[in-house]
Amino acid sequence: MTALDRQFVRLRFAALLVPVGLLLWLHSASMPVTILLGGMLAAYNGVAALAIQRNAVPRFARPMAVLLLVLDHLVVTGWILLFATPSSSLPYLLYALVAAEAVFRFDLWGGIGTSLFFTSGIILFQTSDLGLAISVRDAILRAIPTVVVITGLGAAVRAMNTEIRGTRRRLAQTEQLRNVLGELVGQLDVSRMLYTVIGCGMELLQLDSGAIVLLDEERGVFTLRAAVRLQEAIEGTTISAADGIVGRVVRERRFVMLAEPPLFDLAALNAAGYRRAFGTPVLLEGKVSGVVHLQTRDDQRRLTRWEVEALEVLAQQLAVALRNVHLFEETEKRARRLELLNRSIDQMNQKLFEPELLDIIATALTGNLDFAAAQVWLLEPSDGALWRRASHHVTRNAPPVPGRVERGMGEVGQVAELRVPIVTNDPSNHRQLALNPWMSEEGIQAFAGFPMVVGDQLLGVLAIYHRHALDRNTIELLTLFAQHAGTAIQEAHLFHLATEQTARLGAVNAELQRANQHKAEFLANMSHELRTPLNSILGFSQLLLEGDGGVLTQDQRQDVDIIAQNGQHLLVLINDLLDISKLEAGKAQLHRGEVDVEPLILECVESVGSLAKPKKLELTASVSPEVGRVFADGPKLKQVLLNLLGNAIKFTESGSVRVTAERQGAELRVSVRDTGIGVPPDDAERIFESFQQGQSGISGKYQGTGLGLAISRRLVEMHGGRIWVKSVPGQGSTFSFTIPQRALPDAIDLSSAA
């Protein structure tokens, strides 16, 4: 039921107030006629209301609307006869209202017809001498403007109402369309998706039935996938794209409306009594992948532009949804293949360093990836040919291929020669003619050969035979498999080479360790053997200097003093050799204890003071108050400091040598800075190695064994620290080392912890 019919019923009931009001001032002779006219209005208006309520019709049928309009004319004519006067405008107003209803009912022609009826009635009243003292000219002059104004107003109101109702309907349809499109997003059930689109299209466009035809890509034909209220249609039926709605849409690739038979491409549907069919294509990547078509039995039904666009939007969204489903299926398929690929790779990795690796590669292709046959060909560097090293098949007979193929011969040889994959899905054009009978017997539809290349080195070829055509995803998967297989073969080869090399290096290393052990034992024994007579030399030299053997002359004392100095120098060298031999042999041990850092540093500075005095060097020390004590081996820590200080004084001709100690987090940091010759950047690491010296030592100006810094480094690392140097040649050097402090504080203050 429309809002227009409901309003007309209410207006007619409201019109009953007019005769009721007239009864108050009418002459008694006019009362029966007035009551009769009011009763007529109430009677036919009540019948119309009952028809609307009982039948629930969407709108009055045309005969009912014409009957109501004629009754309105009769009632208005009766009132005009009763109350019309020469100066009264009541007849014109009443007829103008009837004309307005006619406009609402029958557009502008209804108003024009009513106006003509009114004008002819006035003329009839005048010529029939019915007491209307009004001329025809006056009647026309009064009737036409009034009727035209009211008719124009009624037409404008009707147009506005029509536009408002159309806008509301489009808004409701748009909201419904939006809800359906939202439902299609993320939908993976194709059947539900298709029925949703058909149902939405039928409801939006108020059509009788609908169906969706999709392209079966494997067979290359269109099939009926979903149908609503089409009992003659069977899902799964093959549709030939002929002269019906499907064929026309596929050929024209746009919206098509058919009003002339044949409407459908199925004969059973053409006999179902439909008068019009509307169809639009489902386009996927520029290709017609389906057709959405709706039909009606109304031979006057046409689609507005908005309705056509709505149907096209439905088809477009269906295309997007189908593409999403296709992508999802492809993703799942690719994920399953990647899972199988990973499983195959795991199997290869488990056999990476075993002789069965090549067999695993072949069986993984046939077992996990379901190929009919697979072969692994390796390039033999000695003759440059390809040798079949592994093969596996699930066919009745093995592929009749030789065990050796020259490069450039056959498909396998061409893959090796060109170093590019060769894929064919047409066995009849396969260049290995000898394999064609076997391919036909086993149903092989595809061959693919992939080079196994690592870097610039060709290792071999992977050959695959399949019973189905190879798509792009499968080719990409096989390319990855061939790459990994080549890498696995290369790694296995390198592993075997590395195993052999490791065995050789192990033997050499063991020999070197034995030689090093002999060297350490030799140095320890020789140092001990040299120290004993040297101590005797130093002892007797000291006795001679003290005069136990008599008074020495000046020359004799000078000679004995030279013997003592050289003996002391030799003793230092022997002690360094003994220390480094113990450290390298792992026999040196730390005896840790709490060591006061400041007294230790001052003692070391005082010990080397005599060395700095002849050069007039400024020798100073600075110890931060928070340093305190350190948990270390005191004598070895002192040895490190003496080595660093001795080197600083040795390589500094003028300036100063400064020792600093500070706490750096949980470590003690000690630095010895000098203004000497410095260390070249290339020697910054080498000087800490055994028997190594900087360029100054090599040149002969500064002599030494090159063991002091090596010993210091070993001792610092035994404490868990590190040692390094920062230097600018010609400006000086700073040697620093750190060791974990690990010293307990004198007392713990708990007052601030509460």
Side-chain angles (χ1 to χ4, degrees), residues 209 229-233 264 266-275 295-297:
S209 61
R229 297 180 187 171
L230 275 178
Q231 290 151 14
E232 298 82 3
F264 305 99
L266 284 177
L269 294 179
N270 286 320
Y274 292 102
R275 300 301 181 187
Q295 41 276 340
T296 179
R297 291 183 170 88

Side-chain angles (χ1 to χ4, degrees), residues 22 66 177 179 192 248 355-356 358 465 528 597 641 701 721:
L22 293 175
V66 172
L177 182 62
N179 294 333
R192 181 177 177 181
R248 288 282 301 276
E356 297 88 355
L358 299 180
Y465 303 89
H528 179 73
V597 176
L641 280 170
K701 183 176 180 180

Side-chain angles (χ1 to χ4, degrees), residues 109-128:
W109 291 107
I112 294 173
T114 300
S115 301
L116 294 175
F117 178 80
F118 168 69
T119 303
S120 62
I122 294 297
I123 295 173
L124 180 64
F125 296 153
Q126 178 66 29
T127 57
S128 300

Side-chain angles (χ1 to χ4, degrees), residues 19-87:
V20 173
L22 293 175
L23 290 175
L24 299 177
W25 56 276
L26 286 175
H27 299 291
S28 58
S30 301
M31 286 186 180
V33 179
T34 302
I35 294 173
L36 177 63
L37 294 175
M40 289 177 61
L41 178 63
Y44 74 75
N45 193 48
V47 172
L50 290 176
I52 291 173
Q53 182 177 1
R54 290 183 179 180
N55 299 331
V57 293
R59 188 185 177 101
F60 285 145
R62 188 178 296 271
M64 175 66 78
V66 172
L67 177 62
L68 291 176
L69 187 60
V70 171
L71 292 175
D72 286 341
H73 276 293
L74 293 177
V75 172
V76 171
T77 301
W79 278 338
I80 289 174
L81 292 174
L82 286 175
F83 308 115
T85 63
S87 60

Side-chain angles (χ1 to χ4, degrees), residues 61-321:
R62 188 178 296 271
M64 175 66 78
V66 172
L67 177 62
L68 291 176
L69 187 60
V70 171
L71 292 175
D72 286 341
H73 276 293
L74 293 177
V75 172
V76 171
T77 301
W79 278 338
I80 289 174
L81 292 174
L82 286 175
F83 308 115
T85 63
S87 60
S88 174
S89 298
L90 180 62
Y92 313 108
L93 177 62
L94 292 175
Y95 264 106
L97 292 175
V98 175
E101 180 181 355
V103 170
F104 279 110
R105 283 293 181 187
F106 307 105
D107 298 325
L108 188 60
W109 291 107
I112 294 173
T114 300
S115 301
L116 294 175
F117 178 80
F118 168 69
T119 303
S120 62
I122 294 297
I123 295 173
L124 180 64
F125 296 153
Q126 178 66 29
T127 57
S128 300
D129 195 17
L130 295 178
L132 294 177
I134 182 171
S135 67
V136 175
R137 178 175 176 274
D138 291 338
I140 293 175
L141 290 177
R142 291 186 181 185
I144 291 177
T146 303
V147 173
V148 168
V149 171
I150 298 300
T151 302
L153 179 62
V157 173
R158 176 180 174 83
M160 291 177 60
N161 287 339
T162 302
E163 183 66 24
I164 291 172
R165 287 194 303 272
T167 302
R168 287 179 177 175
R169 181 171 178 268
R170 284 194 295 272
L171 287 175
Q173 290 174 329
T174 302
E175 180 65 19
Q176 183 182 4
L177 182 62
R178 187 184 66 82
N179 294 333
V180 171
L181 297 182
E183 184 179 347
L184 291 179
V185 175
Q187 179 64 254
L188 298 177
D189 187 345
V190 176
S191 178
R192 181 177 177 181
M193 183 191 308
L194 299 180
Y195 281 105
T196 300
V197 170
I198 296 174
C200 177
M202 291 173 57
E203 187 173 353
L204 284 178
L205 308 183
Q206 296 294 308
L207 298 177
D208 298 332
S209 61
I212 293 179
V213 175
L214 295 181
L215 177 65
D216 187 342
E217 295 185 358
E218 291 186 0
R219 296 188 297 164
V221 296
F222 287 92
T223 58
L224 184 66
R225 294 292 301 274
V228 176
R229 297 180 187 171
L230 275 178
Q231 290 151 14
E232 298 82 3
I234 301 175
E235 294 183 11
T237 303
T238 300
I239 304 294
S240 60
D243 296 328
I245 187 67
V246 174
R248 288 282 301 276
V249 170
V250 171
R251 287 192 295 273
E252 298 182 19
R253 301 168 57 87
R254 62 177 180 83
F255 171 80
V256 173
M257 182 193 76
L258 293 183
E260 299 293 335
L263 299 182
F264 305 99
D265 301 89
L266 284 177
L269 294 179
N270 286 320
Y274 292 102
R275 300 301 181 187
R276 289 182 182 266
F278 310 93
T280 190
V282 179
L283 298 174
L284 274 175
E285 298 179 355
K287 179 182 178 181
V288 179
S289 296
V291 175
V292 178
H293 64 86
L294 306 172
Q295 41 276 340
T296 179
R297 291 183 170 88
D298 185 359
D299 58 356
Q300 302 298 322
R301 181 71 166 96
R302 289 180 177 272
L303 298 187
T304 64
R305 181 177 179 181
W306 184 92
E307 290 174 332
V308 172
E309 291 176 352
L311 183 59
E312 291 176 344
V313 168
L314 273 176
Q316 292 170 5
Q317 189 62 29
L318 176 60
V320 172

